[in-house]
Amino acid sequence: MLTTWAPGRVNLIGEHTDYSGGLVLPAAIQLGITVEVASVSDQISLTSTRDGAAEPFAADGAGAPATGWARYGQAVAAELAALGRAPVGLAAAVDSDLPTGAGLSSSAALEVGIALALCAVADFEPAPLELALACQRAELRAVGVPCGILDQAACLLGQAGAAILLDCATLDYRLVHVPERAALVIVDSAVERSLERSGYAQRRAELEHALALVGAERSTQLTSQDLEGLDPVSERRLRHVMTENERVRLFAEAFEAGDLESAGRLLGTSHASLRDDYEVSIAELDLLVELADAAGGLGARLLGGGFGGSVLVLAEVEDADRLGGEIVEAYRSRTGLEGRALTVYASAGAGLR
Ligand code: GLA
């Protein structure tokens, strides 16, 4: 009947800045989720090729909470009902080529893919950012993760060959061309990340506390003076977001100038800041960053929320395969873990297929 497509995302830089009104620079990638609607119905019945059929739930998302992956679908239906979507149900098959737990935002892709299908069957047409915000609220409703707008915005706004420089306070954005020479290599640590179990909510609370201490409404307002005389944790959290916002600006400039070396160095400092000031890294991710540098990458950093998942390595296109292979091999011999390297491309955002 109709099929929707929703990609995962890679965030080039600007990590843990979205929920303080900071800057981010993500791109949608070529991997994602398809939702194939077979028929319209009075309830929502979803089947996943990977996880089987979910218990059907009401078209407006009301009723007893769904379990497992269907929680995302039910939460999206509830958020869209709150926006005024008519309660039209559907039967659909969900398929994915996006690894889960790798920091590539499979949950946002699932939310957006289902949201677009629900909107299409009900002739409901919210603006892309309105839909992104509804899906962000759905993430909180489904699994209690108070995420920012990064993942859902990237999924909906993506454009082939470009990253999206997004101001998370105003939701203004512009596209930044990804230089042809640049390869974006993702190396999965094989340590599964779960935002539900991780310290994500704790970091967010610590940052909000620190911002309130200095009276800043958003992280782009911070200056070095704000950091003086604070308790050490607040100081570190604020220093990360303040310096990371600046790195986003500089990275966008470097990409626009085709200066991959500077962009790579910014990834390295971003990782150090996420590790030391924001404290969201783990030993395996630190090791992958080291191995990426040793293999001749231009720079690397942990990707997404941290506490597991992947690193992003910036490389020259002709180096990407060799580099990915070398990092995975060295990682296996150091840790016994089976990492995985994958090159991603800035790709079109979500829509009907
Ligand atoms: C997760 C969240 C995003 C963002 C990143 C960290 O991916 O879903 O909103 O906060 O972590 O940058």
Side-chain angles (χ1 to χ4, degrees):
M1 196 186 157
L2 65 92
T3 302
T4 68
W5 152 256
R9 63 100 188 92
V10 57
N11 189 21
L12 300 182
I13 197 159
E15 217 65 271
H16 283 279
T17 48
D18 60 347
Y19 49 82
S20 61
L23 304 177
V24 294
L25 187 65
I29 62 174
Q30 78 276 16
L31 304 172
I33 285 179
T34 52
V35 178
E36 203 180 329
V37 180
S39 59
V40 165
S41 137
D42 50 6
Q43 45 179 8
I44 299 176
S45 312
L46 302 173
T47 306
S48 143
T49 12
R50 200 183 292 176
D51 301 308
E55 199 56 43
F57 50 85
D60 63 357
T67 51
W69 64 278
R71 289 178 293 177
Y72 294 102
Q74 188 184 35
V76 165
E79 290 299 337
L80 291 177
L83 286 184
R85 191 191 80 96
V88 183
L90 50 74
V94 177
D95 197 8
S96 171
D97 58 6
L98 192 59
T100 55
L104 296 173
S105 289
S106 54
S107 62
L110 180 62
E111 289 148 16
V112 171
I114 293 173
L116 286 172
L118 289 174
C119 288
V121 296
D123 290 325
F124 187 61
E125 290 185 18
L129 280 168
E130 204 183 339
L131 199 58
L133 289 164
C135 290
Q136 177 195 7
R137 292 191 295 272
E139 177 98 20
L140 180 64
R141 185 190 279 263
V143 291
V145 176
C147 68
I149 191 68
L150 167 68
D151 308 336
Q152 292 82 3
C155 179
L156 277 152
L157 299 176
Q159 297 278 336
I164 304 137
L165 177 57
L166 174 70
D167 178 322
C168 298
T170 60
L171 298 184
D172 289 337
Y173 65 94
R174 69 179 170 83
L175 299 178
V176 173
H177 177 71
V178 176
E180 270 78 37
R181 274 174 57 213
L184 307 172
V185 183
I186 306 295
V187 187
D188 188 347
S189 65
V191 178
E192 189 158 338
R193 176 186 76 116
S194 160
L195 289 182
E196 285 172 81
R197 284 193 297 268
S198 74
Y200 186 89
Q202 188 194 340
R203 285 295 174 279
R204 182 169 178 156
E206 287 165 354
L207 182 64
E208 280 165 3
H209 171 74
L211 286 167
L213 285 180
V214 301
E217 262 154 36
R218 45 175 309 201
S219 54
T220 48
Q221 293 170 337
L222 294 168
T223 63
S224 333
Q225 274 114 34
D226 290 320
L227 272 54
E228 286 165 17
L230 289 177
D231 63 277
V233 171
S234 300
E235 183 189 334
R236 289 202 294 276
R237 303 299 182 256
L238 290 185
R239 187 166 49 233
H240 168 69
V241 289
M242 184 183 81
T243 57
E244 185 78 352
N245 282 326
E246 182 58 12
R247 283 186 289 270
V248 175
R249 288 194 195 93
L250 295 171
F251 189 101
E253 274 173 35
F255 253 29
E256 278 165 338
D259 178 359
L260 298 192
E261 289 68 27
S262 298
R265 278 193 296 275
L266 289 161
L267 294 184
T269 39
S270 172
H271 184 77
S273 179
L274 287 159
R275 181 192 61 210
D276 302 336
D277 281 341
Y278 221 66
E279 299 176 277
V280 291
S281 191
I282 57 171
E284 289 85 351
L285 296 175
D286 295 341
L287 175 62
L288 282 174
V289 167
E290 257 175 53
L291 296 174
D293 290 342
L298 296 168
R301 65 173 196 82
L302 72 83
L303 177 64
F307 304 106
S310 305
V311 298
L312 163 68
V313 185
L314 181 65
E316 301 272 355
V317 167
E318 61 270 22
D319 259 2
D321 289 347
R322 175 199 61 81
L323 201 106
E326 273 182 38
I327 299 170
V328 166
E329 186 52 49
Y331 184 65
R332 182 188 302 123
S333 75
R334 293 277 290 269
T335 63
L337 289 167
E338 286 299 326
R340 208 170 14 155
L342 157 95
T343 298
V344 295
Y345 304 92
S347 305
L352 289 177
R353 266 250 162 119

